[in-house]
Amino acid sequence: HNSPRQMPYFGVCFVLLALHAGTAWSAFNPPIPNGWEHMKAFSTLSTGQFRGVIEPIATMTKLSYCQSSPYCPSEANDTVHGWVRGPQIVQPYGLQAISFLENSAFNPTPRAVIAFRGTDLNMTRMDGQCDQCADAMLWEGVSYENLPTYCKVFTRKQLDYFGNAVAFTVDFIQRYPLHGLLLTGHSLGAGLAVLVSTTLRQLTTVVAFSSPASEAVLKRLQLPTPDRLIWTVANQWDPIIATTNVTGAVGTPCLFNVAEPTSCTSCYANPHWNLTSTICELCFADTHVYYHILRLIKDHSRPICTNKA
């Protein structure tokens, strides 16, 4: 563990999460930030209505991957129709975040979105190495002192993605106190959106794409159970969703009911399936990578949301 290596797509950060019993959400009726009241009906929207709500948020999350990375450099400065770019964190490695402010001409109630980027899976890049080290600290509870040697090129502060995400969000709220705020992200970024929401006094709502389980981390960090609306949108066959056991995860799962990829059939055929096996890596690549989530939003009927009993 003293040198960086190419990790499975899902990264070790998601494999070791412990699961705990969840809060009963069936009677949960949290307050909603101004401008996002329609999110209460998220689970009952038609497919067309769902796309109208989710596509701008999903695009904002995609754009968080286009900053300071080789994946979509031509879109690094893009925005979403009706929204302008706000404060952001763009750096060669470390936490990446981007905010969007709605044009008041489109909505008299000011709204804002903060999108946190997910893990860079390319371990040949320092960005990917930094993400993996930060993942280990946040999701596995590994102390800075016990991180692999290659992680020590990064400072403790650089690897504190959660603390940095909270600081960025608090500063944003101070600058834009009247904006109704929604937090979003994919994978690591989705988990950060969930965790950050629990620390804020200001109301927020969360749309988390393919989020890892957060309850174990909430307990370890002594954070409160979320008292706000959290929707987790994912592919039902995603190994991360299977690992987190959505009936115990934070928030309301909204899962795309799609045909099981052959890679996942082979992965789950083994009752003791291993997330680090080659076939399960392929299952992850076919279901968790954000490109596939975007395609499901565009081409498939809306996901099915299930309140936890």
Side-chain angles (χ1 to χ4, degrees), residues 61 64-65 96 116-121 131 161 185-190:
T61 297
S64 71
Y65 279 103
Q96 311 285 337
F116 298 105
R117 196 195 73 181
T119 302
D120 183 338
L121 301 172
D131 283 355
Y161 282 23
H186 169 250
S187 196
L188 163 65

Side-chain angles (χ1 to χ4, degrees), residues 238-252:
D238 184 346
I240 301 306
I241 298 302
T243 303
T244 58
N245 182 3
V246 295
T247 59
V250 172
T252 300

Side-chain angles (χ1 to χ4, degrees), residues 36 38-39 42 45 48-58 207:
W36 296 104
H38 59 286
M39 295 301 293
F42 191 74
L45 298 175
Q49 293 169 330
F50 171 81
R51 288 176 182 160
V53 170
I54 203 70
E55 283 184 350
I57 301 170
V207 174

Side-chain angles (χ1 to χ4, degrees), residues 35-275:
W36 296 104
E37 291 83 1
H38 59 286
M39 295 301 293
K40 279 192 175 183
F42 191 74
S43 63
T44 60
L45 298 175
S46 68
T47 293
Q49 293 169 330
F50 171 81
R51 288 176 182 160
V53 170
I54 203 70
E55 283 184 350
I57 301 170
T59 300
M60 294 173 189
T61 297
K62 173 195 171 184
L63 292 176
S64 71
Y65 279 103
C66 300
Q67 302 187 112
S68 186
S69 79
Y71 303 114
C72 40
S74 64
E75 300 175 68
N77 297 311
D78 284 4
T79 187
V80 173
H81 179 67
W83 298 74
V84 297
R85 298 275 287 258
Q88 57 191 18
I89 300 176
V90 183
Q91 49 192 344
Y93 45 81
L95 176 70
Q96 311 285 337
I98 182 171
S99 69
F100 299 85
L101 303 165
E102 190 172 26
N103 188 323
S104 60
F106 291 86
N107 191 339
T109 302
R111 297 190 300 171
V113 173
I114 293 177
F116 298 105
R117 196 195 73 181
T119 302
D120 183 338
L121 301 172
N122 186 347
M123 282 296 293
T124 67
R125 288 167 40 85
M126 286 192 69
D127 199 7
Q129 296 168 26
C130 188
D131 283 355
Q132 181 179 313
C133 298
D135 283 344
M137 287 183 63
L138 179 59
W139 301 108
E140 298 173 46
V142 178
S143 68
Y144 181 79
E145 291 73 20
N146 289 328
L147 288 172
T149 302
Y150 74 86
C151 293
K152 301 305 172 58
V153 70
F154 310 109
T155 67
R156 189 189 305 266
K157 179 174 175 55
Q158 285 174 319
L159 297 181
D160 183 12
Y161 282 23
F162 170 63
N164 294 332
V166 170
F168 175 77
T169 305
V170 169
D171 180 71
F172 180 89
I173 291 172
Q174 291 174 345
R175 295 178 64 175
Y176 303 98
L178 300 181
H179 283 67
L181 182 60
L182 181 144
L183 303 179
T184 189
H186 169 250
S187 196
L188 163 65
L192 285 171
V194 171
L195 295 177
V196 170
S197 73
T198 69
T199 70
L200 304 176
R201 301 180 71 176
Q202 175 161 323
L203 290 176
T204 57
T205 191
V206 177
V207 174
F209 296 101
S210 309
S211 176
S214 300
E215 284 201 1
V217 183
L218 288 171
K219 291 179 181 293
R220 174 162 43 81
L221 298 179
Q222 298 183 322
L223 296 172
T225 300
D227 61 350
R228 52 208 65 205
L229 198 60
I230 297 173
W231 301 100
T232 297
V233 178
N235 186 318
Q236 67 172 334
W237 302 111
D238 184 346
I240 301 306
I241 298 302
T243 303
T244 58
N245 182 3
V246 295
T247 59
V250 172
T252 300
C254 297
L255 304 182
F256 284 101
N257 183 16
V258 296
E260 183 178 20
T262 56
S263 57
C264 296
T265 302
S266 299
C267 171
Y268 300 139
N270 181 348
H272 305 293
W273 57 275
N274 189 332
L275 284 171

